[in-house]
Amino acid sequence: MEELNDFTEEQEESNFDLKAEIFKYLTHWKWIVLGLLLGVLAAYLYNRYTIPKYRSEATLVIVNDEENTALSAMPTGGGSILSFNEDGLDNQIEKLKSKSLIESVVDELDHNISYFIEGNVIKVETYKSSPVLIEFITPDSIINKQSANLFISPFSDTEFRLDEESKSYSETHKIGEVINFDGAKFTILPRSGNEEGEFRNTKTVNILIQPVPDVARDYLARLQITKKGQAKDMLSLSMIHPTSEKTEDFLNKLMERFNEEGVKNKQEVAENTTKFIQDRLEMITTELDSVEGGIADFKRDNRLMDVASTAGMYQSQYTAAEQEIFNLETQLALIESVEELLRNQGNYELLPEAGISEGGISGLTNSYNSLVMERNLYLKNSTPENPVVQVITDQLDSLKANLFESISSTRRSINVRINELNQRENRAQGQFSNFPGLEKGMRSIERQQQIKEQLYLFLLQRREEAAISFAATASVARVVDPAYTIEEPVDPKPWLILVAGFVLGLIIPILIIFIKNFLDTKVHHKGDLHPLTKTIPFLGELPRIKSDQNELIGVNDRSPLAEAFRILRTNLAYLIQNKGKERGEIIFVTSTIKGEGKTFVSTNLARTLSTTNKKVLLIGADIRNPKLHKYSDRAVEDKGLSDYLHNYEVGMEDIIVPTNKNDISVDIIMSGAIPPNPAELFMSDRMGDLLKRASELYDFVIVDTAPTMIVTDTLLISPLADTTLYIVRAEHTDKKILDFPKDLKNQGKLKGLAVVLNDIDYSKFSYGANYGYSYGYGYGYAADKESRWKRWMRGLKS
């Protein structure tokens, strides 16, 4: 038995009951189990009907130009004409991801056309195994921009129905018939090699036609290219797709097309270089013929046949100077040739590397060629207005200006050096004043001849190198591992999905229950009354009455309701005994708001006390909203308390009504007619006189009063009570108003305050006597023990 005291001081204790919190969720075990089953079922269906996706991978190595080109065997190493700056691995990745390259691969493989077999739940792609094929007559340039979702439903060996829902098209056609659909002409053919009658038995085939750019964008989003390992020239290509064969074909073709594009770019440079050299050779040949003709004319006019002996001394003195002049003039001629080509060529074309060693022109030419190739690559996918192309164009313009400036400054520098050498020659010539002037002229002509011959031989050599480079251009990349597919699917992961389904199936119901409990501010059990019961004694709990149960207890009643009121009676006896009263006990029954069961508790408490041979008077003091007539045979209009308080001629004996319902005797004073001034009536002395006389005649006077928060009636007569039972109703009373009765007690407005929790649904609390009291086992020696099977069935129904 719980010891009752006056609770004058708050007891410091934890308000958290872990066991109660756990059983808040366990009471909803059916929903949790249902959530687990649904989660696992959803995971199973996802694994069963989700098309798995596989990862396909390939490895590509970028070939080093200097080590693998055929020109590496040339005397000059082959690098002077055709070598250009290394793009780097990042640039190669960008080239592999270029939209134009991917679109060309998609177009070549016809991956913009997909075939699916309609199943009972999902449709599966049949790559290279579709029972029907679509053959287009319309050019690819038009088809590559088309989109359609065709359904082929065969119903004979030669006929089928063609449906397209978006175009509301549904027609019957024959195999091989030319179909004109939305501006495209095509035929539907069965796959060759199929057995006779197989076409008729084929399920519906879905042919999905997408624009090539859309498919290319999808592939580009799926394509992953990363550097592999520690190597600086190896790339790993991977792609995740439901159809592994399709992915492997795409990756292999992508590497093949990338290599072809690289070879094509190299050959374009070699071809442009060969053309430039051929033009220069033709011009040099003409100039060389002219110089040689000038030598013959000079010798004939001046009758000079042998100048070797005369030039012997000159040769020995001026060899070094002449050699320098020769080299400088050769460079000057090459510079002029490049400058003329740069001025006369179209916008942004590749320049040849002419082998100029002066002024850094060779490096600028290489940079210029790299930018031109990069610009041409971007122009394949965009227009000159593209911001990236414009940036490259600005760089080319700047680089072109730098080339002209470098050529100009280099020419001036060479001329200055030639002038210095000529001055040196003139100074030395004074020592040979007797040397004929004709010799100087002869030397000048021979020098021009040597320059032209050297340049002619130089260009011949370069032309051969360019021709060899064009014919034997090495691959820019080499396939290390052709595309292959990892057997284990990337998605879905069956066990991971099952675990996720199990976890979600567990978490979601618990989360819903948590949110429901979190938003629920109602009182449900004694634990929710902890802020109140720390200062106010708790007398007991009353169970919920089902619709098929009687709300009034009877004689020898062994129902849970009757037992709960017996416990309440016992606890009340301890509380009254502690107070030591000798006259009849005046017990007020009140609550915070209406609907909390004051009249129900008052009536059954009166009947419970009466079964112990006590004289009990039940007074309906809620004269604003009388409810006592619900539990008696009297009408609400019968004379009662309000008549007594209002009319001094009405005596106490006139309003007391003896009752003996179900063999339990209880005297009742009804509430009476509803008055217009209830508060003024309670302020009179008549109420005090009534209670004083009643307490002398009866062992217990139970007063069913009005709610304390709504009206002031109860507070006006509260000093007349010995004990006040404050009713709190489960799932009706809000926790926020529990401080109200505590404040009333602290202010001394309610005497002998004790709390009773009404309308407890014990089916929601299955964790022992603290809440449920195990009513299912019955009370008394004659109670039959309920079987485990019945308890389990009762739990399912609750």
Side-chain angles (χ1 to χ4, degrees):
M1 176 64 62
E2 179 182 2
E3 182 178 355
L4 301 174
N5 51 52
D6 202 17
F7 285 73
T8 56
E9 296 183 359
E10 293 190 5
Q11 301 175 5
E12 295 295 332
E13 58 182 76
S14 174
N15 192 30
F16 180 75
D17 188 345
L18 177 61
K19 189 175 181 180
E21 291 297 322
I22 293 175
F23 277 95
K24 279 183 181 180
Y25 297 92
L26 292 183
T27 54
H28 302 281
W29 66 270
K30 289 177 287 186
W31 293 106
I32 296 176
V33 171
L34 179 61
L36 288 174
L37 294 177
L38 291 178
V40 173
L41 178 61
Y44 170 77
L45 294 176
Y46 183 87
N47 288 331
R48 174 67 177 81
Y49 293 109
T50 299
I51 299 176
K53 297 179 181 179
Y54 299 90
R55 179 187 295 276
S56 299
E57 297 181 354
T59 304
L60 184 71
V61 62
I62 304 301
V63 177
N64 190 321
D65 289 341
E66 296 182 359
E67 296 178 0
N68 294 276
T69 181
L71 294 177
S72 60
M74 295 293 292
T76 61
S80 58
I81 289 289
L82 298 177
S83 63
F84 42 86
N85 292 337
E86 183 181 355
D87 289 336
L89 216 54
D90 291 334
N91 288 342
Q92 301 297 341
I93 293 176
E94 293 303 320
K95 289 178 182 178
L96 279 165
K97 288 185 175 182
S98 65
K99 187 170 179 290
S100 60
L101 181 61
I102 295 179
E103 284 184 359
S104 65
V105 174
V106 171
D107 184 21
E108 185 174 351
L109 295 175
D110 290 331
H111 280 190
N112 58 317
I113 303 173
S114 303
Y115 299 86
F116 299 90
I117 293 293
E118 292 287 329
N120 295 328
V121 179
I122 59 175
K123 58 182 181 180
V124 181
E125 184 172 2
T126 56
Y127 181 67
K128 293 184 178 180
S129 61
S130 171
V132 299
L133 296 175
I134 185 169
E135 296 288 343
F136 284 98
I137 301 173
T138 306
D140 289 345
S141 58
I142 298 177
I143 298 302
N144 290 345
K145 300 178 182 179
Q146 295 282 338
S147 61
N149 194 15
L150 307 177
F151 290 88
I152 310 298
S153 302
F155 55 83
S156 72
D157 289 336
T158 58
E159 292 182 318
F160 60 90
R161 187 179 71 255
L162 175 62
D163 297 305
E164 218 291 351
E165 296 180 358
S166 62
K167 301 292 190 303
S168 299
Y169 183 92
S170 180
E171 298 289 342
T172 300
H173 298 279
K174 294 183 178 181
I175 292 176
E177 176 185 348
V178 176
I179 302 173
N180 192 341
F181 174 80
D182 198 22
K185 294 182 179 181
F186 59 86
T187 60
I188 300 296
L189 302 172
R191 181 177 291 276
S192 60
N194 289 348
E195 297 180 1
E196 184 178 354
E198 184 175 348
F199 178 77
R200 177 179 54 196
N201 299 324
T202 300
K203 293 183 179 181
T204 299
V205 178
N206 176 208
I207 303 178
L208 180 62
I209 304 171
Q210 298 173 281
V212 169
D214 293 350
V215 179
R217 279 193 296 269
D218 177 63
Y219 278 19
L220 183 58
R222 296 173 183 268
L223 181 62
Q224 294 182 353
I225 304 177
T226 57
K227 301 174 185 178
K228 190 169 185 179
Q230 300 297 324
K232 297 181 179 180
D233 57 354
M234 190 169 293
L235 298 176
S236 174
L237 288 73
S238 63
M239 190 171 175
I240 298 175
H241 196 273
T243 310
S244 58
E245 295 181 1
K246 196 172 187 178
T247 309
E248 292 176 5
D249 289 348
F250 171 76
L251 292 177
N252 289 330
K253 182 59 68 174
L254 178 64
M255 293 186 292
E256 179 183 336
R257 292 285 296 147
F258 171 74
N259 191 42
E260 292 175 357
E261 289 289 335
V263 172
K264 181 179 178 181
N265 289 336
K266 286 187 175 183
Q267 289 180 342
E268 183 179 353
V269 174
E271 185 178 1
N272 290 338
T273 302
T274 302
K275 182 179 178 182
F276 166 75
I277 293 174
Q278 186 61 36
D279 294 340
R280 299 306 300 169
L281 278 174
E282 293 177 358
M283 184 182 67
I284 293 299
T285 301
T286 302
E287 293 177 355
L288 187 58
D289 291 341
S290 176
V291 171
E292 290 177 348
I295 292 176
D297 293 340
F298 186 86
K299 288 182 178 182
R300 185 173 53 252
D301 294 341
N302 295 280
R303 297 180 181 179
L304 288 176
M305 301 302 296
D306 184 14
V307 295
S309 57
T310 308
M313 186 183 299
Y314 179 79
Q315 184 69 28
S316 61
Q317 295 180 359
Y318 299 111
T319 297
E322 284 184 337
Q323 185 62 39
E324 284 191 46
I325 293 173
F326 168 76
N327 292 336
L328 292 175
E329 289 182 349
T330 299
Q331 292 292 315
L332 191 59
L334 291 173
I335 290 172
E336 290 174 353
S337 300
V338 172
E339 182 182 18
E340 180 180 355
L341 177 63
L342 190 62
R343 292 185 184 280
N344 296 333
Q345 70 171 187
N347 290 332
Y348 314 120
E349 296 179 1
L350 294 171
L351 296 176
E353 173 57 56
I356 300 173
S357 60
E358 295 291 329
I361 295 175
S362 178
L364 291 175
T365 302
N366 290 337
S367 300
Y368 185 88
N369 285 339
S370 296
L371 287 176
V372 168
M373 292 176 64
E374 186 176 358
R375 182 177 182 271
N376 291 338
L377 180 62
Y378 279 107
L379 284 177
K380 291 180 179 180
N381 303 324
S382 59
T383 63
E385 285 73 21
N386 187 299
V388 177
V389 176
Q390 290 181 354
V391 170
I392 297 175
T393 302
D394 293 339
Q395 294 177 354
L396 284 171
D397 292 338
S398 176
L399 193 57
K400 191 173 184 179
N402 290 338
L403 269 172
F404 280 118
E405 183 178 352
S406 178
I407 289 172
S408 178
S409 62
T410 303
R411 184 190 295 111
R412 289 194 299 271
S413 175
I414 292 175
N415 287 332
V416 169
R417 292 167 63 185
I418 290 175
N419 290 335
E420 291 178 355
L421 291 173
N422 286 331
Q423 291 176 5
R424 188 189 307 168
E425 182 181 2
N426 291 334
R427 286 194 300 270
Q429 191 175 4
Q431 299 176 7
F432 304 96
S433 57
N434 294 328
F435 189 81
L438 295 177
E439 182 65 20
K440 183 177 180 180
M442 187 64 187
R443 288 291 184 184
S444 178
I445 295 174
E446 289 179 348
R447 186 165 57 212
Q448 292 296 326
Q449 180 189 24
Q450 292 175 358
I451 291 172
K452 301 300 181 184
E453 288 179 351
Q454 184 67 24
L455 186 58
Y456 181 79
L457 295 175
F458 177 79
L459 291 176
L460 283 176
Q461 180 182 358
R462 293 306 183 187
R463 185 178 67 179
E464 293 303 318
E465 291 178 359
I468 295 174
S469 176
F470 181 82
T473 303
S475 301
V476 296
R478 185 172 65 251
V479 177
V480 177
D481 286 326
Y484 64 94
T485 301
I486 301 175
E487 294 182 359
E488 183 179 357
V490 176
D491 180 57
K493 299 285 188 182
W495 284 107
L496 181 62
I497 298 298
L498 285 175
V499 172
F502 180 86
V503 172
L504 289 177
L506 177 65
I507 290 178
I508 291 177
I510 292 178
L511 183 61
I512 294 174
I513 296 170
F514 170 78
I515 295 175
K516 176 179 176 295
N517 293 336
F518 181 77
L519 298 178
D520 184 11
T521 59
K522 302 297 183 182
V523 173
H524 294 282
H525 53 77
K526 179 183 175 182
D528 295 332
L529 297 178
H530 182 75
L532 187 61
T533 56
K534 288 192 298 184
T535 57
I536 300 175
F538 181 78
L539 287 189
E541 300 172 337
L542 303 177
R544 175 167 296 177
I545 305 300
K546 296 182 180 180
S547 59
D548 58 346
Q549 294 178 337
N550 194 348
E551 293 187 13
L552 294 179
I553 65 173
V555 178
N556 298 323
D557 192 344
R558 295 192 303 176
S559 67
L561 178 65
E563 292 298 335
F565 272 101
R566 291 188 185 104
I567 294 173
L568 178 61
R569 180 187 63 191
T570 303
N571 289 339
L572 182 62
Y574 274 87
L575 186 64
I576 295 172
Q577 181 181 355
N578 291 341
K579 292 185 178 180
K581 297 290 184 182
E582 296 180 357
R583 56 178 175 81
E585 186 76 9
I586 300 175
I587 302 173
F588 280 16
V589 180
T590 187
S591 65
T592 307
I593 57 177
K594 72 174 185 175
E596 294 182 297
K598 303 183 308 301
T599 306
F600 167 77
V601 174
S602 302
T603 303
N604 282 293
L605 179 60
R607 295 174 65 83
T608 302
L609 292 172
S610 179
T611 58
T612 60
N613 298 321
K614 301 291 184 181
K615 293 185 64 177
V616 181
L617 175 64
L618 175 61
I619 302 176
D622 188 359
I623 59 179
R624 297 175 186 262
N625 185 27
K627 296 292 184 181
L628 196 58
H629 61 278
K630 291 177 55 178
Y631 302 100
S632 67
D633 298 331
R634 311 295 295 182
V636 67
E637 298 86 1
D638 288 354
K639 184 182 296 186
L641 180 63
S642 62
D643 300 284
Y644 172 81
L645 296 176
H646 172 69
N647 189 352
Y648 283 81
E649 295 181 358
V650 177
M652 176 179 171
E653 297 79 6
D654 299 330
I655 59 176
I656 295 178
V657 178
T659 64
N660 190 22
K661 194 170 185 178
N662 297 333
D663 298 327
I664 297 178
S665 298
V666 176
D667 292 346
I668 298 177
I669 296 179
M670 303 297 292
S671 300
I674 300 175
N677 56 344
E680 287 74 8
L681 293 179
F682 282 121
M683 293 176 65
S684 68
D685 296 335
R686 296 271 287 173
M687 187 66 185
D689 294 340
L690 175 64
L691 294 178
K692 181 178 180 181
R693 290 185 58 192
S695 64
E696 294 172 353
L697 299 174
Y698 292 91
D699 297 314
F700 293 96
V701 179
I702 299 177
V703 183
D704 177 24
T705 64
T708 56
M709 180 176 282
I710 299 177
V711 295
T712 188
D713 300 356
T714 302
L715 298 180
L716 292 174
I717 60 175
S718 63
L720 304 176
D722 297 319
T723 302
T724 302
L725 300 186
Y726 206 94
I727 308 302
V728 177
R729 184 176 179 180
E731 300 183 17
H732 181 81
T733 305
D734 199 298
K735 296 177 183 177
K736 296 178 181 178
I737 63 175
L738 292 180
D739 288 335
F740 184 73
K742 184 167 62 174
D743 294 339
L744 294 179
K745 179 181 184 306
N746 294 334
Q747 296 168 9
K749 294 183 179 180
L750 294 178
K751 296 178 58 179
L753 191 63
V755 179
V756 176
L757 181 58
N758 182 32
D759 201 22
I760 289 288
D761 186 1
Y762 289 122
S763 64
K764 295 183 179 180
F765 309 102
S766 56
Y767 44 95
N770 286 338
Y771 297 105
Y773 295 103
S774 301
Y775 286 128
Y777 292 94
Y779 288 86
Y781 296 105
D784 295 330
K785 184 176 180 180
E786 186 179 29
S787 67
R788 181 177 300 177
W789 170 256
K790 290 183 178 180
R791 293 199 307 274
W792 186 77
M793 291 299 296
R794 179 166 53 84
L796 289 178
K797 295 178 181 179
S798 62

